[in-house]
Amino acid sequence: MHQANRTHLVLLLIFTFSFCYRLLLIFWEGFPPGADIGLHNSVIYSITGSGPTDFLYNYFHIGGGVSLTFPGYHIFTSGVMLLTGMTGAMEYVVHALVVALFSSLTVLCAFLLTKRIWSTSAACIVAILAAISRFDIEMIMWAGYPNVITLMLIPLTFYLYLQRERFSKLPFIGSTSILVGSLFLTHSLSVGIFGAIAVATLLVILVAPKTLMTNRKTAFYWFLPIVLGAVLVSPFLIQAVPAYLSDNAYLNGSSGSSDIGSATLSARVLSLWIVVPLFGLIPAFLILSKKFYDRWLALPAFLLCVWVFVCLVFTQGYLVKIPFDYNRFLYFLILPLIMFTGVLIDYGSETFAKVIDTYRSFSQRAPRISHLRLYRFSLNLTRKNLYTVFVLFFLVFSFVAIPIFMTPPSTNVGQSIQSFYQTMSAKGWEALQWAKANSASNAVFVADAEYGWWFGGFAQRPTLSAVDPQYLSLNREVDNATFARNLLDTNYVIDNGYVQVREDGGYLGRHNPEFLAKIRNEYYPYPFFNFDNDEIEITLQNGTDTQIVYLSDAPVKDMHLESTPNSQSIIVTYGNELFNYTQKVTVYAQSALANVTVTLTATDPNVAFAALRYSLHTKSTIAPVISADNSNLGLVDTDMKTLGQLSFTSPQSRPDYITPSDASKDYSPVQLKYTLDLQTKVDFSFYMGTYQYTDTEYAQTGSGELTFEALVNQNAQAQLNKLQQLPATGQSDFAVFDYQKELVVRAVSYVILFNNPEHLPRFVDDSLFSLVFINEEVAIFKVNGNLP
């Protein structure tokens, strides 16, 4: 068989394997993994819905509104759906087929680019490696479908750039302009990466063309398709660019951008120890350039150097406080890394084969080997066969040892990656179809982040998804997503910038309340300690009987928020035929301490209270610091440098016993017990809060031996003194969440719990909600009075 035909056959086999392998991974658990597929389907239905087409509006995603998702992928996929009639339940199959096709085409583009720059043998190895590239496949797993398309378009465009001499002018300009225009229409981040690489390279071409073995015309032919590509899609760009600049939270100074930027900088930073070694690819490509082109800076090798440099520099944008999802830039870096690995395998195998073959040839000049079979075997050790053996060995070694390659889903690693991104299930799909058939088209739903994206796209209902800010890009999305996260987690939140208090209300014994510390340079507050209604124990005397009642067993009588000019309070009242229990938590402006007031009243003349016990769950890493008279309780997490404080300022508020758990239980929970001496009414209050201390504060707590006791006592007095100097008004300092009010304001019709049984009591027992659907994984609650 002719060498070219063998190469084509190998490529066909690799492409077929790649396509089937990706489909196997996508449908391994029945439904495509990832949440973003829901976003893509919502974009398709927003484009193809009735009325004029608006590429910059999404009717379903995170409540509906302005959309900056570039529509290239969605236009193509909607066309496939319309041509094949694969709509409804088959829509996710179309997504899977399209993305598997383009991801497999990336394998062929990797072959073409490697063949142009290095060699055909290295290109075949690179194609095999690209077929199982973990980063490409992982992008399919989380459903970054438009990015998958552009990861094919970028190497294909650069391949044509490097092959300019083989084309006449019009075919070259026409094909490259269409490719670049497709980039502009499909994925904004990819446009930025491609543009940075291309422009940086062509600038060097203009300055030193001879150094790169080219001429200045090359720069013109690289730049012209970028301009013409933008012109081709200019009707879209004319609308998109202003909207992108005004609504993209990364590019303006709104409150939404502050949330997104802070969350991204605290959660999506890429460590230098990952990035720095990758800079080694640049000198490696220069060395390979010297070997293949007999000069250090040939244009193809230089292009790869710029490609690597641009991607790595962008991963460190957090150093100058530019908020992006820095991990995304690694996806663009993987192809040069795979190309280097493939060339290394090719060159290493060739070198080893040459050395062994030379040694074998030399050995044949010696007396004939006495063992006939060994002699015949040595005759088959041709350089070509040796090369094949070494290539296979290095490929297997790469698959096993290098973490950028994906093992089959049947293995532990492959299965864990697949399961990590899996969102939809048969039960989840059943609930989605029920809601689509039994709710109004404009009914507003609330769901968690991943399931909510699926729900909005495939049920075609406005859905507020509980997405963390670092995964958002639009200002309008931040407020809706924050509301959804709060609603699915708790009933009330008060945040004054110094401390955050969360209260689950009376229907769930968990955080009653929970105090979270504000951590420097972190977006998310740190949950430090909390009470739990399931563990608040009331011992009472009912006539001659002694009874123990847990607060979570008492029905809820009332829950609400109260506001003053400089404070916000959460008030929850429980009661039965024996007693009423009211807890009021007041958060003050500009203070890390909140006041907790407890009122316990007997409603039956035969009832008196004997004892009251609390269990305080804490993240403390050392034994609690307890003052001699029980007036102060300090809890310290030395890892997070966080201090929790309970100050009992009056004698009647001080527990009679404070009993910490031992170190084997991480000092949690701490037991607080009050002896009530058969009173019929108990009323006391104390202060409670948490904050992060500094090493300087700790060092200044006393002379001689430094102790946390000194830090606790010093902080207690300082925080109590601040309470005496509260501002006359401070409402602007508060961020407040009241679930009852927010449900009305946002006209929420339904709330979905997906694989979240812990929170069922919050909704089942609350008269504001009615359960309308439930199966093993999903519960859907109607918000009474809010249906459209």
Side-chain angles (χ1 to χ4, degrees):
M1 185 183 294
H2 192 272
Q3 179 65 35
N5 292 334
R6 283 199 297 268
T7 302
H8 295 158
L9 178 60
V10 169
L11 277 178
L12 179 61
L13 291 174
I14 294 172
F15 174 82
T16 303
F17 164 78
S18 174
F19 182 74
C20 294
Y21 185 49
R22 280 152 175 75
L23 285 180
L24 174 66
L25 287 168
I26 290 172
F27 291 112
W28 185 255
E29 294 190 19
F31 291 88
D36 285 36
I37 185 174
L39 164 63
H40 303 316
N41 214 54
S42 70
V43 173
I44 288 173
Y45 270 88
S46 296
I47 292 174
T48 59
S50 59
T53 298
D54 187 349
F55 291 122
L56 300 176
Y57 197 91
N58 190 317
Y59 293 96
F60 314 108
H61 187 61
I62 312 190
V66 174
S67 171
L68 297 183
T69 303
F70 282 29
Y73 163 80
H74 311 92
I75 294 171
F76 181 88
T77 305
S78 63
V80 174
M81 289 180 181
L82 293 174
L83 289 174
T84 61
M86 298 175 69
T87 57
M90 297 295 291
E91 289 163 359
Y92 61 81
V93 177
V94 177
H95 286 282
L97 291 172
V98 169
V99 75
L101 172 65
F102 278 96
S103 182
S104 300
L105 289 174
T106 304
V107 174
L108 300 184
C109 295
F111 170 85
L112 291 173
L113 188 60
T114 307
K115 179 183 177 183
R116 168 60 184 86
I117 298 177
W118 307 120
S119 66
T120 301
S121 57
C124 289
I125 296 171
V126 168
I128 295 172
L129 295 175
I132 56 169
S133 167
R134 173 173 173 170
F135 278 72
D136 289 342
I137 294 173
E138 198 162 350
M139 183 174 284
I140 296 176
M141 295 296 100
W142 60 259
Y145 297 163
N147 208 163
V148 172
I149 308 301
T150 56
L151 287 178
M152 182 275 294
L153 294 173
I154 289 174
L156 180 58
T157 304
F158 282 136
Y159 167 74
L160 293 179
Y161 274 9
L162 294 175
Q163 292 283 78
R164 182 179 64 84
E165 293 81 4
R166 296 187 58 183
F167 295 91
S168 57
K169 294 179 181 178
L170 288 180
F172 171 79
I173 295 173
S175 58
T176 51
S177 297
I178 291 173
L179 290 175
V180 175
S182 300
L183 273 172
F184 275 113
L185 194 62
T186 304
H187 196 248
S188 58
L189 183 61
S190 298
V191 172
I193 294 291
F194 171 80
I197 297 170
V199 170
T201 304
L202 67 86
L203 287 177
V204 176
I205 292 174
L206 288 173
V207 173
K210 292 183 179 180
T211 304
L212 299 179
M213 299 173 55
T214 186
N215 54 60
R216 288 187 173 88
K217 285 185 179 179
T218 301
F220 171 76
Y221 284 110
W222 281 37
F223 185 68
L224 184 60
I226 298 176
V227 175
L228 295 179
V231 171
L232 285 175
V233 295
S234 58
F236 167 72
L237 293 179
I238 289 171
Q239 289 182 304
V241 171
Y244 201 81
L245 294 176
S246 62
D247 290 288
N248 191 308
Y250 291 131
L251 303 178
N252 57 54
S254 68
S255 59
S257 66
S258 176
D259 285 338
I260 292 175
S262 299
T264 302
L265 291 170
S266 65
R268 302 296 291 172
V269 170
L270 199 61
S271 300
L272 276 173
W273 70 268
I274 297 176
V275 174
V276 170
L278 293 174
F279 276 101
L281 288 173
I282 295 175
F285 283 134
L286 297 179
I287 293 171
L288 290 173
S289 177
K290 180 65 176 175
K291 169 179 168 50
F292 282 87
Y293 295 96
D294 197 29
R295 60 193 305 146
W296 295 102
L297 282 177
L299 177 59
F302 181 72
L303 172 65
L304 292 179
C305 292
V306 174
W307 192 331
V308 171
F309 181 78
V310 167
C311 294
L312 290 178
V313 168
F314 282 170
T315 64
Q316 300 306 297
Y318 68 91
L319 296 175
V320 291
K321 305 299 183 183
I322 299 176
F324 278 105
D325 187 351
Y326 310 106
N327 294 271
R328 294 284 292 276
F329 296 111
L330 288 182
Y331 291 104
F332 298 94
L333 180 67
I334 287 303
L335 182 56
L337 180 57
I338 288 176
M339 291 175 67
F340 171 72
T341 304
V343 173
L344 203 61
I345 290 174
D346 177 57
Y347 181 68
S349 300
E350 184 179 344
T351 301
F352 284 126
K354 181 178 180 181
V355 170
I356 294 175
D357 185 57
T358 302
Y359 174 76
R360 186 184 64 84
S361 300
F362 177 77
S363 299
Q364 286 180 344
R365 298 175 186 174
R368 177 170 294 187
I369 300 174
S370 58
H371 199 292
L372 183 59
R373 290 184 177 179
L374 185 61
Y375 174 71
R376 290 176 177 174
F377 175 75
S378 68
L379 292 179
N380 290 323
L381 292 179
T382 63
R383 183 175 299 186
K384 182 177 180 180
N385 290 340
L386 287 168
Y387 171 82
T388 303
V389 169
F390 278 110
V391 166
L392 291 174
F393 170 77
F394 286 127
L395 282 174
V396 172
F397 176 80
S398 299
F399 299 159
V400 174
I402 303 178
I404 66 171
F405 300 111
M406 184 82 167
T407 56
S410 56
T411 64
N412 289 335
V413 175
Q415 204 168 54
S416 64
I417 294 174
Q418 162 71 30
S419 298
F420 177 80
Y421 290 107
Q422 189 66 39
T423 296
M424 186 53 67
S425 63
K427 296 299 181 181
W429 186 256
E430 176 190 5
L432 185 152
Q433 294 299 318
W434 180 91
K436 188 174 181 179
N438 293 277
S439 64
S441 60
N442 61 339
V444 177
F445 285 75
V446 175
D448 70 14
E450 290 79 16
Y451 187 74
W453 285 29
W454 264 86
F455 193 91
F458 288 91
Q460 289 96 53
R461 297 294 185 272
T463 306
L464 308 179
S465 307
V467 185
D468 289 328
Q470 63 266 28
Y471 301 110
L472 302 174
S473 58
L474 284 169
N475 296 320
R476 72 158 183 89
E477 298 173 337
V478 175
D479 185 52
N480 282 337
T482 301
F483 158 75
R485 289 202 317 276
N486 286 335
L487 179 67
L488 295 179
D489 179 68
T490 193
N491 281 355
Y492 301 102
V493 180
I494 300 175
D495 191 324
N496 66 357
Y498 292 81
V499 67
Q500 185 179 108
V501 178
R502 306 177 80 87
E503 169 62 61
D504 288 342
Y507 301 116
L508 178 63
R510 190 185 59 145
H511 300 150
N512 312 108
E514 179 184 44
F515 283 72
L516 300 90
K518 295 292 187 172
I519 304 299
R520 286 181 293 275
N521 300 320
E522 294 288 336
Y523 174 77
Y524 295 99
Y526 178 53
F528 188 76
F529 50 25
N530 68 276
F531 292 116
D532 183 341
N533 283 352
D534 288 337
E535 298 175 1
I536 297 178
E537 179 185 285
I538 302 171
T539 303
L540 54 85
Q541 196 75 25
N542 186 2
T544 59
D545 295 332
T546 300
Q547 298 180 16
I548 296 177
V549 180
Y550 290 95
L551 190 58
S552 57
D553 294 330
V556 178
K557 287 192 169 183
D558 180 59
M559 296 188 300
H560 67 278
L561 289 180
E562 285 186 358
S563 167
T564 71
N566 61 5
S567 69
Q568 293 281 347
S569 300
I570 304 170
I571 302 172
V572 184
T573 299
Y574 311 80
N576 54 25
E577 69 281 1
L578 302 178
F579 66 86
N580 286 331
Y581 178 101
T582 300
Q583 177 180 278
K584 179 179 181 180
V585 180
T586 301
V587 180
Y588 302 99
Q590 302 177 21
S591 174
L593 285 185
N595 179 266
V596 180
T597 299
V598 173
T599 303
L600 181 60
T601 307
T603 56
D604 186 312
N606 296 317
V607 170
F609 303 109
L612 177 61
R613 182 177 63 84
Y614 295 90
S615 292
L616 180 65
H617 293 269
T618 172
K619 297 286 183 66
S620 180
T621 58
I622 66 171
V625 178
I626 306 171
S627 62
D629 60 355
N630 284 357
S631 61
N632 276 316
L633 169 62
L635 302 155
V636 183
D637 183 339
T638 55
D639 297 327
M640 295 296 292
K641 293 183 171 56
T642 303
L643 171 67
Q645 184 87 42
L646 282 82
S647 294
F648 307 97
T649 53
S650 61
Q652 67 267 25
S653 68
R654 295 171 189 170
D656 296 285
Y657 304 97
I658 301 178
T659 309
S661 298
D662 57 38
S664 64
K665 297 181 180 178
D666 299 324
Y667 304 106
S668 182
V670 178
Q671 304 293 330
L672 311 177
K673 185 174 182 180
Y674 291 85
T675 301
L676 302 180
D677 299 325
L678 299 181
Q679 299 178 66
T680 58
K681 183 175 182 180
V682 179
D683 194 345
F684 62 87
S685 67
F686 55 89
Y687 292 96
M688 187 174 182
T690 181
Y691 88 112
Q692 191 177 33
Y693 65 88
T694 64
D695 291 331
T696 302
E697 287 178 286
Y698 178 47
Q700 293 176 349
T701 55
S703 58
E705 183 180 356
L706 301 178
T707 65
F708 283 108
E709 182 176 1
L711 177 64
V712 169
N713 292 333
Q714 174 180 290
N715 178 70
Q717 193 57 50
Q719 294 295 334
L720 289 171
N721 289 339
K722 285 183 66 175
L723 286 176
Q724 308 303 318
Q725 305 169 8
L726 288 177
T729 181
Q731 285 302 306
S732 60
D733 298 328
F734 290 101
V736 178
F737 171 75
D738 179 342
Y739 83 108
Q740 296 166 320
K741 177 181 177 181
E742 293 290 338
L743 285 169
V744 174
V745 169
R746 298 174 193 274
V748 173
S749 305
Y750 297 91
V751 178
I752 302 174
L753 296 184
F754 180 66
N755 285 326
N756 192 6
E758 179 186 20
H759 284 268
L760 277 173
R762 282 183 51 223
F763 297 93
V764 170
D765 297 334
D766 193 330
S767 60
L768 186 59
F769 304 97
S770 296
L771 181 65
V772 293
F773 176 90
I774 190 168
N775 60 26
E776 291 87 339
E777 296 179 6
V778 183
I780 301 178
F781 294 90
K782 178 181 70 175
V783 181
N784 295 323
N786 271 12
L787 292 184

